[in-house]
Amino acid sequence: MTAASLDLELLHRLLDVPEHEGPYRLVRRAQQTSGTLAQLIVSLAVGEGTEPGSGSRDLLERARSRAARYAELRSALADRPGIVTVKGPSLARHYPPDVRRPVGDLDLVAHDEDQLWSAVLTMCSLGGEPEELSLFFADGRLHVMLAVLWPSPDPLMEEEIRVELCTAAFCGDFATVPVRPELPEDHVLADLFSVAEERFQRPFHAKDAVDLLMLLDSGALKPTAVADAAATCLLAPELVELLDLLSAAVVHPQAEPLRRALAAPAAAERARRTAAALPRPEPDRSVTARLASGRPVWGMPLTQTVRTGERCVLEHRDDMTLARTPVGDFLLVAGELVPPELHAAALAAVTNEEARP
């Protein structure tokens, strides 16, 4: 283990690939870990003198093009103070200029539902299609999460262009860690905590550790401020886990002071979660029961209809619940299995309405 440095040697340690196995094995492990992590490995290898072949050049060009597309989409929302970018290009600014932070999707947090739908309408006017809707109640209001998608520039090699918008900063696990609607005012902390929040979706991996390393290198992480905000946002245990991942591979002078500052809030948060982890009966597998319990429901797109100025309205009819949104109608469901006849009935209902003069 050596002092802090973003290079291939560090990635060999983070990905547990012996150095003698070379960059090819490192790229293969990166591809198995994350769909975009190879971009980082290849850009580091090229920066360290490896002559890129056509495949490597194409990989970096696709990443560059994808980042440029997201920059265009962000610029379309530049006049919206209620829309904040987290992770992605916000974190990439801390990376060395010749190193490519992996480019996946674009994450936006909206101050409220009006701001979200306004941004979604703009995205749709630029060719995006609203595809994946989630709804949940927290802090006395309905929260919306929506993914807007564009076709992949190369469907055999990369996923579609994807912008995810949400009215809540951090969603937690909808159990012991509740929804926390607000981002920290400090954008560096907003980015760091958004990385930490990923732990509720998947295990941390090398990209997360490198993000932390870059933020530590920036000098913007003040241990006391991070610890205080982490206690408020209920994310101290995740930050400690992320520090452990990084510290197992590299020594950074700012890591240990941050770990000490996080020790007390992490212990307190673990104790709070233990106390909150009481048996919680699973609600009925119905949309209304899940929403009432504070858990999310999901929307299956039915139609795309622009209704400027409206919010999401829930409509209960017969055995179905519809979400009427400013960009179309969705059938709300409580689980992965949806009876085909239910979807057919919902589609027929909204299609017949649109056909009326």
Side-chain angles (χ1 to χ4, degrees), residues 155-175:
L156 296 179
M157 299 300 296
E158 60 181 306
E159 294 183 337
E160 62 273 302
I161 299 294
R162 180 186 186 93
V163 176
E164 293 190 355
L165 305 97
C166 189
T167 53
F170 311 115
C171 295
D173 61 5
F174 295 101

Side-chain angles (χ1 to χ4, degrees), residues 51-124:
E51 184 65 29
S54 59
S56 297
R57 290 193 296 271
D58 183 60
L59 176 72
L60 294 179
E61 174 55 27
R62 283 189 282 109
R64 185 208 62 77
S65 176
R66 193 177 187 88
R69 178 58 174 148
Y70 285 140
E72 292 174 357
L73 295 174
R74 290 176 66 210
S75 68
L77 302 174
D79 60 345
R80 314 289 175 86
I83 302 293
V84 179
T85 302
V86 292
K87 299 185 297 181
S90 185
L91 278 170
R93 63 192 175 94
H94 297 289
Y95 278 61
D98 59 341
V99 176
R100 172 64 64 186
R101 182 184 185 272
V103 184
D105 53 17
L106 182 64
D107 295 290
L108 305 175
V109 177
H111 178 70
D112 56 33
E113 194 180 340
D114 289 337
Q115 292 282 358
L116 180 139
W117 291 118
S118 177
V120 169
L121 285 166
T122 297
M123 295 293 96
C124 291

Side-chain angles (χ1 to χ4, degrees), residues 39-58:
Q39 299 168 10
L40 173 63
I41 307 296
V42 172
S43 70
L44 282 171
V46 172
E48 293 182 18
T50 299
E51 184 65 29
S54 59
S56 297
R57 290 193 296 271
D58 183 60

